[in-house]
Amino acid sequence: QVDLVESGGGLVQAGGSLRLSCAASGIIGSITAMGWYRQFSGKQRELVARFTSGLGTNYAGSVEGRFTLSYNNAENTAFLQMNSLQPEDTAVYYCYVLHQWRDYWGQGTQVTVSP
């Protein structure tokens, strides 16, 4: 059983920073992909940043240059450093893992950016 534990969400003023953490347990072998998605109120979940083995990291255009994903393969952890946050970044952020052809999601962590 793969479990994802997230931490680091919260409330921040515009222009501020937050760092999200995700730790995956129950992994056998290697993770195929790991990263973060977000879901705005009333919208579908969308990619924020994702590392895929053999392909590298890709970012949503709206966060490129502001957010940085780091992935530790040995510890199965991922961190999302979010800088220059804006109110439009307010959403629930979900950790994601693709492992042995199955998708796994964290419980979600709220990020709220005030004007």
Side-chain angles (χ1 to χ4, degrees):
Q1 177 67 28
V2 173
D3 287 318
L4 305 180
V5 178
E6 304 157 339
S7 62
L11 173 65
V12 66
Q13 286 189 326
S17 299
L18 284 173
R19 186 173 185 249
L20 304 182
S21 302
C22 179
S25 61
I27 299 295
I28 300 173
S30 298
I31 287 176
T32 302
M34 190 168 186
W36 293 89
Y37 286 69
R38 65 186 178 185
Q39 188 166 16
F40 301 109
S41 180
K43 303 290 187 182
Q44 289 195 336
R45 207 167 291 184
E46 64 177 42
L47 172 72
V48 177
R50 167 174 161 159
F51 170 82
T52 303
S53 179
L55 296 178
T57 303
N58 60 304
Y59 294 90
S62 60
V63 308
E64 197 140 21
R66 300 188 297 125
F67 292 10
T68 302
L69 175 69
S70 55
Y71 168 64
N72 186 318
N73 180 52
E75 298 182 358
N76 294 322
T77 55
F79 304 93
L80 184 68
Q81 178 66 42
M82 305 186 293
N83 297 328
S84 301
L85 282 160
Q86 299 301 318
E88 52 265 35
D89 294 313
T90 295
V92 178
Y93 285 69
Y94 294 89
C95 181
Y96 165 82
V97 161
L98 174 61
H99 178 55
Q100 295 182 341
W101 306 284
R102 289 189 61 182
D103 297 325
Y104 296 92
W105 296 94
Q107 78 279 7
T109 185
Q110 177 70 45
V111 171
T112 302
V113 185
S114 63

